[in-house]
Amino acid sequence: MLHLKNLAARTFAFAVCAFLLAAPAAAATDKNPVAGASPAQLDDATCLSCHQSGSARIEISDGDDERALAHVDPAKLDKSVHAKQQCVSCHTDIVDAKANHAKAAGVAKPDCISCHEQLWDDARKTGVDKTRPRLGIVVDNIVAYRNSFHARPDADNPDQPKALCHQCHATHEFAVPPQGGPARDQWRLTIPQTCGAQCHEDQLEEFEESAHGKLVMGKGDPRGAICTDCHTAHEVVGASSDPFKLKNVEACGGCHKDKLKSYRDTYHGQVHKLGFTYTAKCSNCHGSHGILGVNEPDSKIHPDNRLKTCQSCHNGKKDGLPLATEGFLSFGPHANSHDFEKYPQMWITTKFMVGLLIAVFTFFWLHCLLWYYREWQERKARKTETRIHAEAALGPYAGKHFVRFAWGWRVAHLLFALITMTLVLTGTTVMFANSSWAPVVAGALGGPKVLGLIHRIAAACFVGIFMIHFIYVMQKLLRDRNFRWFGPDSLVPNWKDFTDCWNMFKWFLGKGPRPQFDRWTYFEKFDYWAVFWGVNIIGWSGLMLAFPHVTAKYLPGWIFNVATLVHGEEAFLAAVFLFTVHFFNNHFRPDKLPPPDVVMFTGTQSIDEFRHEHPAQYQRLVESGEIEKYLVDAPSRQMHIGSVILGLTLITAGLVLLVLVTTGFFKI
């Protein structure tokens, strides 16, 4: 009791002293409100006497309404980034300590943006910007904010932006904890309320019921996605804009990396990676704020709802997309080639295609390397007989040219070359959308839709020429009753081809003489029949993808995954084979240097070259006396020069495509 009495007495004495000391100041203030207290006399303690937590409620007029001022918690202020700032450092317009403060004339209200820009300018002028880099980060955020959706005028109050700094940051208490610590995790959990409670109530309500919301707001798990993960913090843009759509997929992929990778393997993801947003994105299938798991009855990807989700785009109206049917349901938008249990068709197909690529490239690249080595060694030893001018040995045939290809073959070859390069360029641009060059090519050619149109036209032309060639050859062969299907003039593989191949490898290794080839070599027959294989594999898979509504009517949806894989891998095989093995065999062997070999453009080759390349046919024609039927004068100089220019042009284009395909394969 005595203690309480002493305490009361001391409190009373302190109050009396405070009153006596304050009276002169109050009198001076009454005479001159503005001069009564300058900003230098307003310290934090004076401000906090009214504005700290626990003080009486303070309301100010805000138009026609009264708005309560937020109180300041000194404990939180001391931990914030503004802890060392004085109140009047920001509130420069306040000049007294009275209620309803008098404001200095011509002084702006506190403004985060102008303050931080001034701080950064001062830091750069004084040379301390290197030691205070965060000031520069804030200015970068200001630039992003000014271009953001939040900086636009508010519809209800056009004089103000949609969101101000203090609405998100609570300026008196602002302190973003460093990344990687528990404080940062706890801070993340507050962001949905910051965004939702003030402005986005409907989205917050939907988010709370979502898979992300249940994780963040239900379980308090900071690993769940929050507003700023998808919308960013300062450069918030409209969700319907292309920049947002492009970045939003990347934002989802930041957590769901395996799903992003598999999405990129689909046409939807490839077009999106090229910088176009008209194909399905994460939000089209999963929703945005109300994302639910696949087993949730209300989920957009629940089996009962999936067809409706597909039909939101594939509705028979939008962009000419045909109506999605039941077959679409088994399409795997995230199918991969390593999960046999879930995607057995993809696993098996991938193993087959990888095996095919390894087998073909291993055999033929080894074939090329050994051939190059052998011819180069013989050239060094001066044993090669390529392009010799042995007029004495050739007798009356010296100086003549041998007609190897009729004009129809040459025209078909040129068209095939041009169309194939077009198909490779347009197809691999989409296939390797992750590469640095693909978006540039896509933009230059008018976008994926134009690429698709060009690709389909070129494919139709390719198939058309192939069918014309096939019908022409077959009707000609069927009319010729003397034609031997396995004879020397036939392109059908025979036992001699296997023998020649074996003897060729023996020659590579110096274990035997070079084989005596007849009209067609085994590697030329492979080139020829590879077109038949490619047209069927690439053609049928391409048709399935070009007409999905027809495909899905008769086949399950997973066929789209398999067709996409087969179409792309076989096209990759064809392109790399043509621009490496085919180019080497016909243009880059030591015997062929310098390129190009123009026989496919002029239709003829010198008799000595023909005798070297196809000695068995040469001998057979000489013995039968038929060789003179195939001998002509050498092409004119103009014809030769034109053929060289054309050949070099096509070779250059092919090598450029090879570089693009290779860099695309390695995602460079």
Side-chain angles (χ1 to χ4, degrees), residues 319-349:
D319 297 328
L321 294 176
L323 181 67
T325 59
E326 293 289 337
F328 277 61
L329 298 182
S330 58
F331 167 69
H334 295 292
N336 59 68
S337 58
H338 54 265
D339 190 343
F340 176 80
E341 184 176 350
K342 195 170 183 179
Y343 307 108
Q345 304 90 349
M346 287 289 287
W347 189 91
I348 293 171
T349 306

Side-chain angles (χ1 to χ4, degrees), residues 183-415:
R184 178 74 171 212
D185 292 341
Q186 292 304 310
W187 174 77
R188 275 179 56 84
L189 296 175
T190 66
I191 291 179
Q193 283 292 349
T194 299
C195 299
Q198 294 192 61
C199 302
H200 304 286
E201 297 90 347
D202 294 341
Q203 288 82 0
L204 178 62
E205 182 178 350
E206 191 177 1
F207 175 78
E208 284 182 299
E209 300 300 321
S210 72
H212 292 151
K214 290 176 182 178
L215 195 63
V216 173
M217 305 182 74
K219 299 180 180 180
D221 190 338
R223 293 175 299 174
I226 58 173
C227 313
T228 53
D229 290 330
C230 300
H231 295 277
T232 73
H234 296 95
E235 53 183 346
V236 178
V237 296
S240 60
S241 66
D242 284 347
F244 175 82
K245 292 176 181 179
L246 291 172
K247 289 186 177 180
N248 189 239
V249 169
E250 301 298 331
C252 297
C255 295
H256 305 282
K257 292 181 174 60
D258 58 331
K259 301 300 183 184
L260 178 62
K261 184 178 183 301
S262 55
Y263 169 73
R264 294 281 186 234
D265 291 334
T266 67
Y267 183 72
H268 292 155
Q270 290 165 341
V271 169
H272 188 272
K273 189 60 180 176
L274 290 174
F276 297 82
T277 62
Y278 59 82
T279 53
K281 299 162 289 297
C282 310
S283 58
N284 293 113
C285 300
H286 296 277
S288 51
H289 299 101
I291 296 172
L292 297 172
V294 65
N295 295 321
E296 296 283 344
D298 293 332
S299 171
K300 295 183 68 175
I301 56 173
H302 186 277
D304 294 342
N305 306 324
R306 199 172 297 163
L307 182 59
K308 182 179 179 181
T309 300
C310 293
Q311 289 177 343
S312 63
C313 292
H314 295 268
N315 55 16
K317 301 175 182 178
K318 180 181 177 182
D319 297 328
L321 294 176
L323 181 67
T325 59
E326 293 289 337
F328 277 61
L329 298 182
S330 58
F331 167 69
H334 295 292
N336 59 68
S337 58
H338 54 265
D339 190 343
F340 176 80
E341 184 176 350
K342 195 170 183 179
Y343 307 108
Q345 304 90 349
M346 287 289 287
W347 189 91
I348 293 171
T349 306
T350 300
K351 293 295 183 286
F352 173 78
M353 292 306 300
V354 170
L356 178 64
L357 264 66
I358 292 175
V360 171
F361 288 140
T362 299
F363 178 83
F364 281 101
W365 284 351
L366 179 62
H367 188 276
C368 292
L369 288 172
L370 293 174
W371 196 349
Y372 186 90
Y373 171 78
R374 182 61 176 172
E375 282 195 3
W376 188 257
Q377 289 298 106
E378 289 201 350
R379 228 182 190 200
K380 286 173 62 177
R382 296 185 179 179
K383 292 181 180 179
T384 181
E385 297 179 0
T386 305
R387 302 179 190 263
I388 60 172
H389 300 282
E391 296 186 5
L394 295 173
Y397 312 136
K400 291 292 186 179
H401 271 232
F402 181 85
V403 178
R404 181 148 169 78
F405 298 105
W407 70 268
W409 288 77
R410 289 145 53 195
V411 171
H413 174 271
L414 178 59
L415 292 176

